[in-house]
Amino acid sequence: DTGVSQDPRHKITKRGQNVTFRCDPISEHNRLYWYRQTLGQGPEFLTYFQNEAQLEKSRLLSDRFSAERPKGSFSTLEIQRTEQGDSAMYLCASSLLSWGAKNIQYFGAGTRLSVL
Amino acid sequence: GQQVMQIPQYQHVQEGEDFTTYCNSSTTLSNIQWYKQRPGGHPVFLIQLVKSGEVKKQKRLTFQFGEAKKNSSLHITATQTTDVGTYFCIIYSGAGSYQLTFGKGTKLSVIP
């Protein structure tokens, strides 16, 4: 499968614990996005990477959230001291930045986080 | 950043009926994209519109971008049960921003 893969697919954790999610984008894609989606809502932008540089972070992203893309390939999203309000589906998407490209985002299946 | 209003939030149609969802912005958009998310699935790209007044068709789906580039619509002719899902429009949030903003989506249910 050469699409965007996310791991794990599901994560159940207790409030206060730290969790880390991984996203492997399509190999030649240099753009990577993280989104959060709650039930019945559209995905909300969290952060954006171009290669290894994190170029933008949403105001939604509190200090407990951190994302990295150390070698410009896979990315991780860490949530520290999880809260029940962090329960959501975390989606990763990648796209190719090139002249004339449409910035079509290819989404992974997501990681569903449940904080008890 | 820019916001986009999408209506309706829900639409229930009988199979074979038509369906339309609308996205409206208060500001001029550089482009707009449409995605579909099946129940339990992830968003999948459908189309991008860039030019004023642009109309694009994909089989039973017709996409339009308004003349002022402030609104867009997706129309499905003769819906089928395979059309079930949530349809989102996405815009860039503003000058100098990489942030993409999703509309709230229109959830389409098709009654067989």
Side-chain angles (χ1 to χ4, degrees):
Chain A
D1 186 347
T2 56
V4 178
S5 62
Q6 291 188 245
D7 183 69
R9 293 291 308 275
H10 303 274
K11 179 71 177 178
I12 300 174
T13 191
K14 291 182 180 178
R15 189 176 51 189
Q17 297 292 306
N18 299 344
V19 294
T20 300
F21 310 141
R22 178 180 170 123
C23 171
D24 286 273
I26 294 171
S27 59
E28 64 268 26
H29 284 186
N30 44 20
R31 289 178 162 178
L32 189 145
Y33 297 82
W34 284 98
Y35 293 89
R36 178 170 64 191
Q37 186 175 26
T38 53
L39 200 61
Q41 301 295 315
E44 295 174 301
F45 171 86
L46 292 179
T47 191
Y48 162 71
F49 289 87
Q50 187 167 305
N51 299 310
E52 67 276 9
Q54 187 175 20
L55 296 187
E56 191 158 352
K57 290 169 60 172
S58 165
R59 285 171 290 179
L60 293 174
L61 215 62
S62 78
D63 291 344
R64 297 184 298 105
F65 287 70
S66 62
E68 294 182 342
R69 195 183 182 197
K71 297 181 180 178
S73 56
F74 75 92
S75 175
T76 57
L77 177 68
E78 182 183 15
I79 309 174
Q80 296 183 327
R81 305 181 302 282
T82 52
E83 301 172 356
Q84 287 185 328
D86 297 331
S87 295
M89 176 72 84
Y90 290 84
L91 292 166
C92 174
S94 70
S95 67
L96 180 63
L97 171 63
S98 67
W99 181 254
K102 292 181 179 178
N103 192 29
I104 298 171
Q105 294 185 74
Y106 295 84
F107 283 82
T111 294
R112 182 169 296 284
L113 173 66
S114 298
V115 181
L116 304 178
Chain B
Q2 293 187 354
Q3 301 294 318
V4 61
M5 185 86 109
Q6 189 172 356
I7 55 170
Q9 192 173 355
Y10 301 97
Q11 186 81 57
H12 304 276
V13 300
Q14 203 74 35
E15 189 173 16
E17 292 182 339
D18 293 355
F19 159 77
T20 305
T21 174
Y22 302 89
C23 278
N24 298 295
S25 170
S26 58
T27 57
T28 303
L29 304 170
S30 57
N31 62 68
I32 191 164
Q33 295 183 339
W34 287 91
Y35 284 70
K36 176 184 177 182
Q37 186 172 22
R38 293 181 186 274
H42 53 273
V44 175
F45 175 82
L46 293 176
I47 205 127
Q48 176 170 289
L49 304 172
V50 179
K51 299 177 184 176
S52 168
E54 190 169 13
V55 178
K56 288 188 176 180
K57 293 190 175 184
Q58 291 178 353
K59 297 183 180 178
R60 295 178 295 102
L61 277 61
T62 302
F63 303 85
Q64 290 190 315
F65 203 9
E67 293 289 341
K69 298 180 71 174
K70 289 185 176 181
N71 56 70
S72 180
S73 65
L74 157 58
H75 180 81
I76 302 178
T77 304
T79 54
Q80 300 175 358
T81 54
T82 53
D83 297 324
V84 163
T86 302
Y87 293 84
F88 295 100
C89 59
I90 303 180
I91 63 169
Y92 278 95
S93 295
S97 172
Y98 301 98
Q99 180 170 337
L100 295 167
T101 298
F102 276 72
K104 289 193 180 295
T106 297
K107 185 174 182 179
L108 173 64
S109 300
V110 178
I111 306 163

